[in-house]
């Protein structure tokens, strides 16, 4: 009698453990799917360079050093302070001017794509 | 397994349209390769420009305006430029997302069998890219105007000192 009860208990425990695993997998699948959907829908996927294999290791460029410009919000306002500001502004402006053709029509032109040629 | 059936031309299409569609169908593989290259380059450029815009907006323009306010020397032109720049920067982000989504869809179209659909989508992607390009140009113009305003301020302060 006691042996039967013990067997039933073990059997129920095993079943519960199986259900727990099953539910965990279902919940994980749903939450992951929702996250990936939001990731795509928000558009964050497009500028995300951490996408596996998106940019080859050799092509990666650390831009951390390129963006050190920071003008303090404290201090006096005089010609010297504004000159300092202008110097920092110039650095960023030069980087923007270097990319003046960014998103130009050339890469999608018929000529570049080889359409009708 | 889905078979890739080459495009057959409909009656009524002009000769130049037919040539164009035929060309898309024939060069489909190389066109896609070029589009994928463009997609990668765009992504890199988005990150690069995004970082510069963020630096300009947050580390420079915003901090300068805060400093001017703290010194009771706020300048309405500089404040306007900061707002206009932030607004265009947000537009740039949205336009890039929209453009990238359409470019993604374009790459997924089988141009071998559906050159007309591909051509139509390509036109849409081009117009989105053009919008994005114009926004980057507007951002550059704001920076240039900002630079001139700073020069004028410096000249004014040098005159007083």
């Amino acid at each position: 009698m006691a042996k039967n009860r013990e067997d039933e208990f073990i059997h129920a425990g095993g079943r519960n453990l199986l259900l727990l695993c099953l539910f965990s997998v279902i919940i994980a699948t749903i939450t992951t799917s929702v996250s990936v959907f939001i990731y795509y829908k928000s558009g964050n996927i497009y500028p995300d360079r951490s996408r596996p294999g998106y940019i080859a290791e050799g092509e990666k460029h650390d831009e951390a050093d390129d963006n050190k410009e920071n003008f303090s919000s404290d201090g006096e306002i005089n010609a010297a302070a504004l000159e300092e500001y202008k110097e920092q502004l110039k650095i960023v402006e030069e980087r923007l001017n270097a990319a003046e053709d960014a998103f130009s029509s050339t890469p999608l032109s018929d000529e570049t794509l080889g359409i009708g040629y | 397994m889905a078979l890739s059936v080459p495009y057959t031309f409909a009656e009524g299409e002009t000769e130049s349209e037919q040539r164009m569609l035929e060309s898309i169908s024939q060069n489909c593989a190389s066109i896609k390769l070029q589009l994928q290259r463009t997609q990668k380059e765009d992504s890199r450029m988005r990150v690069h420009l995004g970082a510069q815009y963020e630096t300009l907006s947050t580390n420079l323009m915003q901090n300068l305006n805060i400093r001017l306010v703290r010194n009771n020397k706020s300048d309405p032109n500089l404040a306007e430029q900061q707002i206009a720049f932030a607004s265009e920067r947000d537009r740039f982000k949205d336009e890039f997302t929209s453009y990238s989504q359409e470019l993604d869809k374009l790459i997924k179209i089988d141009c071998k069998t559906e050159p007309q659909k591909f051509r139509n989508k390509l036109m849409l992607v081009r117009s989105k890219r053009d919008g994005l390009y114009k926004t980057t140009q507007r951002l550059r113009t704001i920076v240039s105007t900002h630079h001139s305003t700073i020069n004028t301020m410096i000249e004014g302060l040098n005159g007083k000192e």
Side-chain angles (χ1 to χ4, degrees), chain B residues 117-130:
Chain B
K117 189 179 172 189
F118 182 86
R119 181 82 183 154
N120 294 342
K121 183 62 90 179
L122 178 61
M123 294 299 185
L124 176 71
V125 174
R126 280 177 180 164
S127 80
K128 298 250 176 200
R129 189 179 174 92
D130 187 47

Side-chain angles (χ1 to χ4, degrees), chain A residues 68-78 80-86 88-89, chain B residues 55 58-68:
Chain A
K68 281 180 175 169
E69 293 70 34
N70 197 350
F71 186 70
S72 172
S73 58
D74 293 314
E76 278 182 53
I77 285 289
N78 49 31
L82 288 182
E83 283 290 354
E84 185 206 324
Y85 178 84
K86 201 173 90 172
Q88 298 197 35
L89 179 68
Chain B
T55 302
T58 313
N59 296 359
L60 298 180
M61 288 180 165
Q62 190 179 306
N63 281 357
L64 174 67
N65 280 319
I66 292 172
R67 190 151 158 178
L68 285 163

Side-chain angles (χ1 to χ4, degrees), chain A residues 14-96:
Chain A
R15 197 183 57 201
N16 288 343
L17 188 66
L18 197 69
L19 282 173
L20 180 72
C21 290
L22 198 67
F23 278 120
S24 303
V25 170
I26 290 169
I27 290 167
T29 307
I30 292 170
T31 51
T32 306
S33 304
V34 169
S35 307
V36 170
F37 176 76
I38 293 169
Y39 179 51
Y40 268 90
K41 207 72 191 160
S42 67
N44 287 334
I45 187 169
Y46 299 109
D48 191 350
R49 295 191 303 172
S50 61
R51 285 164 69 182
Y54 194 70
I55 293 176
E57 208 51 49
E59 293 176 43
K60 283 184 182 170
H61 167 62
D62 188 7
E63 292 190 352
D65 292 339
D66 290 351
N67 299 296
K68 281 180 175 169
E69 293 70 34
N70 197 350
F71 186 70
S72 172
S73 58
D74 293 314
E76 278 182 53
I77 285 289
N78 49 31
L82 288 182
E83 283 290 354
E84 185 206 324
Y85 178 84
K86 201 173 90 172
E87 281 308 306
Q88 298 197 35
L89 179 68
K90 225 164 100 180
I91 296 168
V92 184
E93 199 176 3
E94 274 166 14
R95 283 192 210 124
L96 289 180

